[in-house]
Amino acid sequence: MGVFGLRTSNPAFNRYFWKKSRYYSKTNMSIGGILLKSLCMLSLVALTASYTWHLFFSGVNTKWYTAIGGFVAIACSLFISFKHSAAKYVLPVYALAKGFFLGGISAIAHQHFPNLPFQAIGVTIITFFVMLSLYKWRIIKVTKEFRAIIITATVSIFMFYFIGWILWFLKIDVPYLWGTSWFAIGFNVIAAFVASFSLLLDFYYIDKQVGRCPKEREWLATWGLLITLIWLYVEVLRLLKKLAIRF
């Protein structure tokens, strides 16, 4: 069961990407391989994020770094979506571009609310390990019904964001997204929880394919985890910022 024919809310883990590849490798996908690639890509994210952070606090206007980084990351994701065999070549570019974006928004948050980004990073890391533990110990079982709920919630949230961005571009205020009302905070809390539970879906599909898919698919798995982790961090950062303004 899924939404729009997808079995997971993360584009990297829908059935399109896990069809049998025409290319074969002598080794199969492994947890160790995914972990290594994920650490390497997160290092690239941290590299450009730190650089953008340094530029911002050196007095450089990082608006274009942030905007271009965001657009390049979106373009890379779209390219991987249509040409998934190129993931191992495009993913490093995605990670570097996403770092510019995250560095920009994090520096702004830190300027107004010192140490807020570090708190968001801490919450993201803790959430990741909590969700991994919940999955490994089968405290939360990833059933068809669970997947359907998370998929529906994720699609709905991104539709709200898409509409909100269009209205913002048209200079129409969208308080439920960008404001600090209780409704806006509640929406952000829901989005953060959905991002957290999306990690369980990522773990589920990786677990199902480890040892079965060719090793090259580790790049797709890494891409999927990056998408969810970065989404979770952004939601946590936005939520903490709204709470800081409110209180």
Side-chain angles (χ1 to χ4, degrees), residues 191-217:
F193 269 105
V194 173
S196 301
F197 285 113
S198 292
L199 284 170
L200 295 177
L201 271 64
D202 296 348
F203 298 149
Y204 174 81
Y205 284 100
I206 289 175
D207 193 27
K208 291 294 182 182
Q209 303 303 328
V210 163
R212 297 173 56 190
C213 285
K215 195 169 184 63
E216 64 180 20
R217 297 301 178 103

Side-chain angles (χ1 to χ4, degrees), residues 116 120 123 153 157 160-161 174-196 230-245:
L116 199 68
V123 172
I157 288 169
F160 273 117
Y161 276 132
V174 189
Y176 75 88
L177 278 181
W178 320 124
T180 57
S181 66
W182 286 114
F183 185 86
I185 292 174
F187 178 83
N188 218 157
V189 168
I190 293 173
F193 269 105
V194 173
S196 301
I230 290 172
W231 176 31
L232 176 59
Y233 168 75
V234 172
E235 292 294 350
V236 171
L237 182 65
R238 292 183 66 239
L239 177 58
L240 292 179
K241 184 178 178 181
K242 288 181 180 181
L243 291 174
I245 293 173

Side-chain angles (χ1 to χ4, degrees), residues 42-242:
L42 287 173
S43 296
L44 292 180
V45 172
L47 178 66
T48 48
S50 300
Y51 177 70
T52 310
W53 179 288
H54 173 73
L55 290 178
F56 181 87
F57 287 104
S58 296
V60 178
N61 187 345
T62 57
K63 177 181 178 180
W64 288 108
Y65 288 87
T66 305
I68 294 175
F71 281 119
V72 170
I74 292 173
C76 288
S77 285
L78 290 173
F79 187 82
I80 294 173
S81 297
F82 290 103
K83 187 70 174 178
H84 49 276
S85 60
K88 61 182 177 181
Y89 306 110
V90 181
L91 191 55
V93 179
Y94 168 85
L96 291 169
K98 207 66 175 182
F100 282 115
F101 172 75
L102 294 178
I105 64 172
S106 298
I108 293 173
H110 181 72
Q111 183 183 45
H112 293 91
F113 306 99
N115 298 320
L116 199 68
F118 301 110
Q119 295 173 19
I121 291 173
V123 172
T124 301
I125 293 173
I126 292 172
T127 302
F128 174 83
F129 284 107
V130 167
M131 289 300 163
L132 181 59
S133 298
L134 291 175
Y135 177 77
K136 293 299 292 183
W137 295 338
R138 298 296 189 269
I139 295 175
I140 297 179
K141 294 183 179 180
V142 183
T143 62
K144 290 183 179 180
E145 292 75 17
F146 178 84
R147 297 198 300 270
I149 292 171
I150 299 302
I151 292 166
T152 303
T154 302
V155 172
S156 300
I157 288 169
F158 278 96
M159 285 299 296
F160 273 117
Y161 276 132
F162 181 70
I163 295 171
W165 286 328
I166 292 177
L167 294 176
W168 175 80
F169 182 75
L170 296 175
K171 300 186 183 303
I172 299 175
D173 187 34
V174 189
Y176 75 88
L177 278 181
W178 320 124
T180 57
S181 66
W182 286 114
F183 185 86
I185 292 174
F187 178 83
N188 218 157
V189 168
I190 293 173
F193 269 105
V194 173
S196 301
F197 285 113
S198 292
L199 284 170
L200 295 177
L201 271 64
D202 296 348
F203 298 149
Y204 174 81
Y205 284 100
I206 289 175
D207 193 27
K208 291 294 182 182
Q209 303 303 328
V210 163
R212 297 173 56 190
C213 285
K215 195 169 184 63
E216 64 180 20
R217 297 301 178 103
E218 290 176 355
W219 291 101
L220 286 175
T222 300
W223 175 50
L225 281 177
L226 281 180
I227 289 174
T228 307
L229 283 172
I230 290 172
W231 176 31
L232 176 59
Y233 168 75
V234 172
E235 292 294 350
V236 171
L237 182 65
R238 292 183 66 239
L239 177 58
L240 292 179
K241 184 178 178 181
K242 288 181 180 181

